[in-house]
Amino acid sequence: MKTKYTIISSLALGILVFSCKAQHSSIIADDALLVKVDSTYSFTEGPASDKDGNVYFTDQPNDKIIKWHANDNSLSIFKEPSGRANGLYFDHDGNLLAAADENNELWRIDSNGNVDTLLTSFEDKKLNGPNDIWVDLKGGIYFTDPYYQREYWTRTKAEISEKNVYYISPDGKEVSIIASGFVQPNGIIGTPDGKTLYVADIGDKKTYAYTIQPNGTLTGKKLFTNMGSDGMTIDNKGNIYLTGDGVTVFNKKGEQIHHIPINENWTANITFGGKDQNILFITAMGAIYTLKMNVKGVRY
């Protein structure tokens, strides 16, 4: 189901606002507005919300991490250069994890912007290019590692032929391939109870659900939907949000329940932010959008 949007106000504040009628769906707030907060970037990606509801996102071509301030809708540069960061996620200590694509690394960034490089290779081979990240209840880190050739790389092929999902143990001492057999794994998100992990294989136009075992390993691979995704998120009702052609929402059974069209050629990623975690924050091409929801994001 697609929702129609109409421009109702705008340019005096430099913000485009669209009316949103949530037809036959209760996930979007009544009379919600799809707000284009800014469109001055080259390609936005990787939104991640901190404990106060502020959202950090990347402008990878311009090598920046930007902070959206939830209290006043303002924007500021958090880190520049940013290692060509792509996907982001906060760990349980408030550090920002970043898929630092420039040198195919995984970074941990503290609140002052100081970087600790967590990982740059696996079994003495350079990672393909960490893309998206999720942190489990114990602090273990899952990340997807597809291969997208970048113009700023000197190499022209992957050292690791497989495109895998990896897991870093909570103590940071062990790194393992946790799932494999993908064409191009990309979006990743887990349920708040820590029992299910969703992985999108955008290269094969499929999204899978796995059962998370106590030691972090995955079992019971099941097809969730015949749709891949760039980035993804989850709400407190267990609905899964996939991106690409706007935002497509599925319930936990894998049934599509809503579609949010975005007037951009590509919608890359999505998260929940705001003080009450009820603001859907969307990155699409060179723009960022917000939409007020009836559902909320989940925090540990």
Side-chain angles (χ1 to χ4, degrees):
M1 150 186 30
K2 294 194 175 183
T3 302
K4 295 181 179 179
Y5 297 86
T6 306
I7 298 176
I8 60 171
S9 72
S10 63
L11 299 176
L13 297 177
I15 296 174
L16 290 179
V17 183
F18 302 81
S19 66
C20 171
K21 299 300 182 182
Q23 301 165 354
H24 310 295
S25 175
S26 61
I27 62 171
I28 298 176
D30 294 341
D31 298 319
L33 304 175
L34 180 66
V35 178
K36 181 186 281 188
V37 178
D38 198 2
S39 59
T40 59
Y41 307 105
S42 293
F43 192 83
T44 55
E45 250 285 11
S49 176
D50 67 13
K51 62 181 178 59
D52 297 317
N54 305 305
V55 175
Y56 295 67
F57 64 95
T58 63
D59 183 7
Q60 189 178 43
N62 291 317
D63 206 10
K64 298 177 182 179
I65 298 175
I66 301 105
K67 179 180 179 180
W68 172 75
H69 299 261
N71 62 334
D72 62 2
N73 205 43
S74 66
L75 298 160
S76 63
I77 301 296
F78 171 67
K79 189 167 183 63
E80 180 185 13
S82 66
R84 299 279 187 174
N86 192 349
L88 305 172
Y89 205 88
F90 277 92
D91 69 15
H92 300 324
D93 296 319
N95 299 304
L96 184 62
L97 303 177
D101 193 72
E102 184 171 28
N103 293 309
N104 314 106
E105 298 171 334
L106 195 69
W107 286 4
R108 180 170 57 208
I109 310 171
D110 68 17
S111 59
N112 295 316
N114 300 310
V115 173
D116 179 17
T117 301
L118 298 181
L119 193 66
T120 189
S121 62
F122 179 76
E123 296 181 345
D124 297 322
K125 294 181 179 180
K126 181 174 283 292
L127 295 167
N128 290 337
N131 191 278
D132 276 331
I133 305 165
W134 181 70
V135 179
D136 68 15
L137 293 171
K138 298 178 181 179
I141 302 168
Y142 294 87
F143 69 92
T144 55
D145 190 44
Y147 187 88
Y148 296 107
Q149 185 66 46
R150 306 299 191 188
E151 62 182 13
Y152 44 82
W153 289 350
T154 57
R155 65 171 176 162
T156 57
K157 64 179 182 179
E159 295 182 16
I160 301 173
S161 58
E162 300 83 10
K163 283 81 171 179
N164 302 312
V165 177
Y166 293 84
Y167 182 68
I168 303 175
S169 61
D171 61 10
K173 295 180 179 180
E174 296 182 18
V175 182
S176 57
I177 296 172
I178 210 73
S180 57
F182 303 101
V183 177
Q184 201 77 302
N186 201 311
I188 189 169
I189 197 70
T191 54
D193 60 8
K195 294 182 178 180
T196 303
L197 183 73
Y198 295 93
V199 179
D201 188 349
I202 195 170
D204 200 26
K205 298 180 180 180
K206 291 179 173 61
T207 297
Y208 297 97
Y210 296 83
T211 299
I212 302 174
Q213 299 301 314
N215 64 354
T217 58
L218 305 176
T219 60
K221 178 181 179 180
K222 294 181 180 178
L223 179 66
F224 177 69
T225 185
N226 282 299
M227 178 180 172
S229 185
D230 196 338
M232 41 198 312
T233 195
I234 189 170
D235 67 27
N236 63 324
K237 302 294 184 181
N239 300 313
I240 306 298
Y241 296 65
L242 306 186
T243 59
D245 175 16
V247 179
T248 306
V249 188
F250 295 84
N251 63 22
K252 60 182 67 177
K253 297 178 182 179
E255 301 165 338
Q256 183 177 332
I257 61 170
H258 204 71
H259 180 265
I260 304 169
I262 305 296
N263 189 28
E264 304 285 350
N265 290 334
W266 185 253
T267 300
N269 215 324
I270 192 168
T271 196
F272 281 87
K275 179 174 61 73
D276 298 318
Q277 280 288 288
N278 64 342
I279 302 298
L280 198 62
F281 190 98
I282 303 162
T283 63
M285 299 303 292
I288 52 171
Y289 294 81
T290 58
L291 180 64
K292 188 175 181 180
M293 307 292 286
N294 280 331
V295 290
K296 297 183 178 183
V298 290
R299 288 200 185 105
Y300 298 128

